[in-house]
Amino acid sequence: MLFLSLFMMEKDSLNVLILAAGLGTRLRPLTNDMPKPLVPVVDASILDLQARKARAIGNIRLHANAHYLADQVVAAGEKLGFEKVWVELPEILGTAGPLKRIYNEGYRGGLLIMNGDAYCNFDLTAFVRNAQALAAQPNGPQVALLAVDFPKVNTFRVGPDGRLAGVVGRFGSEEGMPATFSGVSWYSDEALSRIRDGEFDIREFWKQEMAAGRAPFVDMKQLHAIWIDMGSPEGLMAAVEARLKELGRNVNEAVVEPGVKLPAGVTIKHSVIYAGAEIQPGEKIENEIRGRGFKWKIN
């Protein structure tokens, strides 16, 4: 009976993988001592915020991968109640590698992928339900990719059937509806089984699926949802503004990391202050991000 109940749980629970293995090079020196998914955004890290959004789906098991400063991600995962943080050493396994690794370890129930460096307000429940419903149809797509409209990128090309027609500069057609991949995707167990062992680039898997007549579905229903790549100083500030707005606070207010002591007479507006920032008494700070060893002016 115990075996049966565990089996049923395995089948019914959706697995969620938050990708958190990146090096965070665009945010250094802020990320010299802290992995990017753990950078505070007002009141919580992106890893925490993504986990909260995933839990809103319902019956899930949370996973993350880790490489750079992996011990910190593992500790955060334990605190946040993750099923497992999959450490990738000595090399990062790309995007396809972590997916196949989870499948090979016996996890079933489908897999939702999220990024550990993106602030967003997607309706993940609607996305997953739509993906699962399409996959259940005869010859239905076993992979779904959530798209946004971001003209600076928009490398996706989507055919009239709603499926991926190509990725500009990589493969397939350069004609069709333009869109940008949000980093959020869903894979059925059947699709995961087809990822090759040792595969790193998930785009190669999409290409293989297209060649086999199984092109991924591209969900275009949330094109204008909030989606912010917080991998740069400008992106981090945009994420802070979005979080303040979500909390019902003024987007121009100062965000000071707990424990930071400000000198007398300092005034701060539309800025973020992290531990170790150098601040002079009486200084006026506006449109900046500061921390140990850096001062970023944000236009």
Side-chain angles (χ1 to χ4, degrees), residues 126-128 130-131 144-148 162 217-223:
F127 169 68
V128 170
N130 188 39
L145 311 172
L146 187 58
V148 294
F217 170 71
V218 181
D219 190 325
M220 307 276 279
K221 294 181 179 179
Q222 301 186 55
L223 283 178

Side-chain angles (χ1 to χ4, degrees), residues 44-123:
S45 68
I46 283 291
L47 185 68
D48 187 358
L49 294 174
Q50 293 288 63
R52 296 181 198 182
K53 294 181 187 302
R55 286 197 173 98
I57 298 172
N59 188 17
I60 67 165
R61 289 187 298 271
L62 275 170
H63 305 256
N65 67 337
H67 173 77
Y68 177 65
L69 300 176
D71 289 348
Q72 292 186 37
V73 180
V74 170
E78 292 176 353
K79 183 177 180 180
L80 294 171
F82 277 54
E83 172 88 3
K84 185 171 181 178
V85 174
W86 303 78
V87 176
E88 301 177 7
L89 292 174
E91 295 180 333
I92 299 178
L93 300 180
T95 303
L99 277 63
K100 187 65 175 191
R101 187 179 186 184
I102 288 176
Y103 179 83
N104 285 344
E105 288 294 320
Y107 285 94
R108 299 293 183 269
L111 183 60
L112 175 69
I113 308 300
M114 303 172 68
N115 278 346
D117 61 357
Y119 186 95
C120 58
N121 69 343
F122 297 126
D123 185 340

Side-chain angles (χ1 to χ4, degrees), residues 99-198:
L99 277 63
K100 187 65 175 191
R101 187 179 186 184
I102 288 176
Y103 179 83
N104 285 344
E105 288 294 320
Y107 285 94
R108 299 293 183 269
L111 183 60
L112 175 69
I113 308 300
M114 303 172 68
N115 278 346
D117 61 357
Y119 186 95
C120 58
N121 69 343
F122 297 126
D123 185 340
L124 296 174
T125 300
F127 169 68
V128 170
R129 287 178 177 172
N130 188 39
Q132 292 172 332
L134 289 171
Q137 296 177 4
N139 301 315
Q142 300 301 306
V143 177
L145 311 172
L146 187 58
V148 294
D149 181 22
F150 193 63
K152 289 183 179 180
V153 180
N154 277 357
T155 55
F156 268 16
R157 293 296 180 266
V158 184
D161 59 355
R163 298 210 185 198
L164 185 65
V167 177
V168 174
R170 295 284 302 197
F171 58 82
S173 174
E174 294 198 3
E175 297 183 358
M177 179 74 71
T180 292
F181 179 44
S182 70
V184 175
S185 54
W186 176 87
Y187 295 78
S188 72
D189 294 335
E190 179 182 332
L192 294 170
S193 72
R194 292 195 293 266
I195 297 177
R196 299 169 182 171
D197 288 329

